[in-house]
Amino acid sequence: PCLAGCQDFRNGTTDNEDDRTYTQCMCIARNLAEDGNITRSLRNATATVGVCTDSDCKLLPLFMILLILALFFTFMNNVPAIEVILQSVPADRRTMATGVQWVIVRLLATIPGPVFYGFLLDKGCRLWQLTCCDEGNCWEYDGERFGFTIFGLSLALKTLASVFFFLSWRLFVRDDDKANKSRPVTSEDTSPNFSDTSL
C-alpha cells in the first residue's frame, strides 16, 4: 500500500490487515488516468495486500511440456558426451582426457553458471525490499522479462552445444578408419578368395 501511494483504507469483513482495501492510491491512479485527470481515476484506484492474481497463464501446459523435453534431452546427452571424449583420443590418454573435460566443465559452467544466472534473476526484479543500508530480497519479478531472459539464454546455450555436438560427429574419424586409410592396398585385398568355396 505504501509503494502504491495509498492514502486511506477501509476494513473488510474482519479487522485483519490482510483483509483491508486501500483506497486513493496515487500511483495506481496515475496509471489509470488515460486523459491525465488523476482526480477522476482516484476513486477507482484501490489496492489489496499481496501480489496480483488476475494473470491468466494459458500457455502453462505448453511450457511444462517444453520444460520436460528440455530436461529429458539435457540429461540424455551425458553418456554420449563422455563417449565422444573416449572415442576421440587414444586409449592410453582417455583417463587424462576425461579429467580435463570435467575441469573445463567446472571452470566454464558449474562455477560461473549460478553466479551469472543469479545476476540475470536480479535484473528481472521489479520490486526490491528496502532495508536501512541496502536492498534486500526481491519481492516481485517481471514475469515476462524473467521468462524471456532465462529461457532465451538456456536456448542459446543448448543451440551452441548442439552445434558443437554436430561438428564433432561430422569431423570424428574412428581409429580403425585411420588404420584402413593408412594401410597400403595389397594384392590380397583385391584378389578373390576361393578357399572357403565348397564344391
Side-chain angles (χ1 to χ4, degrees), residues 122-171:
D122 291 343
K123 288 297 183 181
C125 183
R126 180 183 295 171
L127 181 62
W128 285 97
Q129 177 188 8
L130 300 179
T131 60
C132 296
C133 57
D134 199 1
E135 291 180 344
N137 297 325
C138 181
W139 279 351
E140 185 178 357
Y141 287 98
D142 185 349
E144 185 174 358
R145 180 180 179 182
F146 177 82
F148 279 112
T149 302
I150 296 300
F151 287 100
L153 177 63
S154 300
L155 180 62
L157 293 176
K158 288 294 180 187
T159 303
L160 184 63
S162 300
V163 169
F164 281 113
F165 270 113
F166 178 77
L167 290 176
S168 64
W169 172 66
R170 293 296 298 171
L171 300 177

Side-chain angles (χ1 to χ4, degrees), residues 2 11 18 22 28 30 32 43 47 58 62 66 71 89 108 119 121 123 126 136 149 151 158 165 190 196:
C2 297
N11 289 323
D18 294 339
Y22 295 88
I28 299 176
R30 193 176 297 115
L32 294 176
R43 292 173 295 180
K58 298 179 180 179
L62 178 61
L66 293 177
L71 292 174
V89 296
L108 298 182
F119 172 76
L121 288 176
K123 288 297 183 181
R126 180 183 295 171
T149 302
F151 287 100
K158 288 294 180 187
F165 270 113
T190 57
D196 296 334

Side-chain angles (χ1 to χ4, degrees), residues 16-171:
N16 191 353
E17 292 185 1
D18 294 339
D19 198 26
R20 290 178 179 175
T21 299
Y22 295 88
T23 58
Q24 299 180 10
C25 304
M26 294 297 296
C27 296
I28 299 176
R30 193 176 297 115
N31 291 331
L32 294 176
E34 297 179 356
D35 56 354
N37 190 349
I38 299 178
T39 306
R40 184 186 307 168
S41 61
L42 196 59
R43 292 173 295 180
N44 299 325
T46 60
T48 57
V49 176
V51 296
C52 299
T53 58
D54 58 349
S55 60
D56 186 14
C57 187
K58 298 179 180 179
L59 298 178
L60 182 60
L62 178 61
F63 167 77
M64 294 303 296
I65 293 174
L66 293 177
L67 179 62
I68 291 173
L69 289 176
L71 292 174
F72 174 77
F73 287 111
T74 296
F75 293 107
M76 189 182 71
N77 70 351
N78 287 341
V79 175
I82 297 174
E83 190 67 24
V84 166
I85 295 296
L86 295 179
Q87 295 295 329
S88 300
V89 296
D92 57 339
R93 298 179 185 174
R94 288 177 180 174
T95 304
M96 175 66 74
T98 305
V100 171
Q101 176 198 14
W102 285 110
V103 169
I104 294 175
V105 168
R106 294 293 184 264
L107 292 178
L108 298 182
T110 308
I111 296 175
V115 177
F116 187 64
Y117 270 88
F119 172 76
L120 293 179
L121 288 176
D122 291 343
K123 288 297 183 181
C125 183
R126 180 183 295 171
L127 181 62
W128 285 97
Q129 177 188 8
L130 300 179
T131 60
C132 296
C133 57
D134 199 1
E135 291 180 344
N137 297 325
C138 181
W139 279 351
E140 185 178 357
Y141 287 98
D142 185 349
E144 185 174 358
R145 180 180 179 182
F146 177 82
F148 279 112
T149 302
I150 296 300
F151 287 100
L153 177 63
S154 300
L155 180 62
L157 293 176
K158 288 294 180 187
T159 303
L160 184 63
S162 300
V163 169
F164 281 113
F165 270 113
F166 178 77
L167 290 176
S168 64
W169 172 66
R170 293 296 298 171
L171 300 177

